[in-house]
Amino acid sequence: MKIHGKPWRTIWPEGEGAVGVIDQTKLPHRFETATLGTLDDTARAIRAMVVRGAPLIGATAAYGIALAMREDASDAALDKAHDLLLATRPTAVNLRWALKRMCDRLRNRPRAERAALAWAEAAAIADEDVATCKSIGEHGLKILREAAAEENGEPLNVLTHCNAGWLACVDWGTALAPIYMAHDAGIGLHVWVDETRPRNQGASLTAYELGAHGVKHTIIADNAGGHYMQAGQVDLCIVGTDRVAANGDVANKIGTYLKALAAKDNGVPFYVALPSSTIDWTLANGRDIPIEERSADELLKMTGRTPSGELATVEIAAPGSGAANPGFDVTPARLVTGFITERGVCAATEAGLRSLFPL
Ligand code: MRU
């Protein structure tokens, strides 16, 4: 996607010994890139959310393995890199998926070949993510086109939560890919952007992306979605996901469940867009999805830009109060209208998923 007319991906090779990434902790105030030259750099970038979003976490981890192999291509180094990266963020299963794919590719190959093989495999994971997200966009576009046709010329109002756009992937995005394609196809639409407390990925990243692409949007408080649904001002919801269990239960950014409940109560279709690398076939249902507990500071403090242009962090809570901060919640499959995947749209059930991704 483009920023100021220049096409960007969220991660790219810089020569053969480093990768470049967009530093998402600085957006929307500053567009800065960072260079990751070692395994530890990649692990730190994932942990600190310099890069975030399930598919991008996977692609970054793949490059982390590739960077590790340049320094030491032994089995021990491969295992160590795998374990270090796997521990960075627990909920997004794309991380485990990408690490397994890298290890499967490298494990029985001669050491002398591993660095080059790993680099090529990481690049393939990144390229495939772009193609996958593009397909998700094309399948989702059909849904948006049909929904827009019922609006009698009025814009289609779509609500999204957190950031499942191109910044969360390598390009295009999952939930936002259909929106970009609908916009490019001339379909009139407007996006309600949940601010997505506590880290505000909606206000700071989704709104930034949509604005850069010229898509009409409005940031709303997380608590406002139900109100707009009751008022008939939300025609459809699309969110991304960090892990889908075999029965279709969906883990996504905290607050997604409440939106799905409100959508159900108001008859608003609630779609989840995902690449197949987000399906965890090992979990029968969402109960066992590990939920990341993040720092209380994310709730107790806020960072923003001062009038003089500096970034500043301020405390927003009564001194001495603690905070609990689960990063994700699980939306039961029964609240999901359908999954939009790279192979098409299916019911949010095991049979639905298997119809597109057979054993
Ligand atoms: O904690 P984050 O910012 O990595 O969480 C991101 C989300 O919850 C996204 O909705 C998710 O990764 C969807 S995949 C594009």
Side-chain angles (χ1 to χ4, degrees):
M1 306 300 279
K2 289 183 183 161
I3 299 289
H4 306 309
K6 181 179 169 196
W8 286 89
R9 283 185 175 189
T10 53
I11 189 163
W12 59 91
E14 288 184 347
E16 286 240 327
V19 286
V21 295
I22 297 168
D23 182 349
Q24 301 194 24
T25 64
K26 304 280 180 8
L27 291 173
H29 310 298
R30 291 186 194 148
F31 184 87
E32 287 181 13
T33 62
T35 297
L36 313 178
T38 63
L39 165 66
D40 285 340
D41 285 350
T42 55
R44 259 194 305 271
I46 296 171
R47 237 184 268 115
M49 293 176 68
V50 168
V51 291
R52 28 72 49 206
L56 178 56
I57 290 169
T60 308
Y63 274 112
I65 295 279
L67 291 170
M69 291 297 95
R70 292 178 67 80
E71 285 177 21
D72 178 353
S74 66
D75 281 354
L78 184 58
D79 289 343
K80 192 172 149 239
H82 171 279
D83 294 353
L84 175 78
L85 289 161
L86 188 64
T88 51
R89 300 222 36 211
T91 303
V93 79
N94 307 61
L95 175 61
R96 190 182 78 195
W97 170 87
L99 290 171
K100 180 174 182 320
R101 178 164 155 176
M102 293 298 289
C103 290
D104 287 352
R105 182 83 182 100
L106 301 175
R107 183 78 61 197
N108 294 316
R109 303 307 293 259
R111 277 192 198 188
E113 291 176 10
R114 283 184 179 175
L117 277 175
W119 199 255
E121 193 66 10
I125 285 175
D127 287 347
E128 284 169 29
D129 185 69
V130 178
T132 296
C133 286
K134 187 160 179 278
S135 294
I136 289 170
E138 286 160 356
H139 292 297
L141 170 60
K142 291 179 208 145
I143 292 173
L144 294 188
R145 201 186 284 286
E146 278 168 25
E150 290 172 20
E151 294 306 312
N152 299 318
E154 293 296 311
L156 184 71
N157 284 297
V158 181
L159 182 142
T160 192
H161 190 71
C162 195
N163 174 260
W166 70 273
L167 289 168
C169 305
V170 179
D171 204 348
W172 283 108
T174 56
L176 295 195
I179 289 171
Y180 289 129
M181 290 192 187
H183 172 84
D184 293 350
I187 295 169
L189 46 78
H190 162 262
V191 183
W192 296 110
V193 178
D194 282 354
E195 62 172 347
T196 317
R197 283 285 289 147
R199 280 187 75 97
N200 298 317
Q201 291 97 322
S204 59
L205 303 176
T206 297
Y208 174 80
E209 275 191 30
L210 292 172
H213 201 82
V215 180
K216 283 199 190 114
H217 62 279
T218 306
I219 298 168
I220 53 174
D222 290 325
N223 302 331
H227 165 75
Y228 283 118
M229 289 187 212
Q230 281 180 323
Q233 294 184 58
V234 180
D235 300 309
L236 191 139
C237 303
I238 311 184
V239 300
T241 169
D242 291 76
R243 191 183 300 221
V244 169
N247 73 337
D249 288 349
V250 169
N252 193 46
K253 183 52 56 185
I254 193 77
T256 303
Y257 172 46
L258 293 178
K259 292 302 140 63
L261 280 173
K264 187 73 166 180
D265 193 45
N266 290 284
V268 175
F270 189 91
Y271 286 96
V272 177
L274 65 140
S276 51
S277 51
T278 303
I279 305 168
D280 186 348
W281 296 106
T282 71
L283 293 184
N285 58 56
R287 270 194 303 275
D288 293 328
I289 295 177
I291 300 297
E292 179 178 14
E293 184 70 30
R294 295 196 55 88
S295 158
D297 274 359
E298 290 184 349
L299 272 166
L300 302 176
K301 297 176 181 175
M302 264 185 137
T303 299
R305 191 180 50 211
T306 66
S308 60
E310 298 301 308
L311 297 192
T313 300
V314 295
E315 293 182 6
I316 61 164
S321 294
N325 186 13
F328 299 87
D329 59 23
V330 176
T331 297
R334 66 188 155 76
L335 300 179
V336 177
T337 306
F339 288 139
I340 307 171
T341 79
E342 72 269 31
R343 293 201 186 159
V345 178
C346 69
T349 60
E350 181 152 8
L353 286 168
R354 281 291 178 211
S355 71
L356 297 178
F357 302 99
L359 276 171

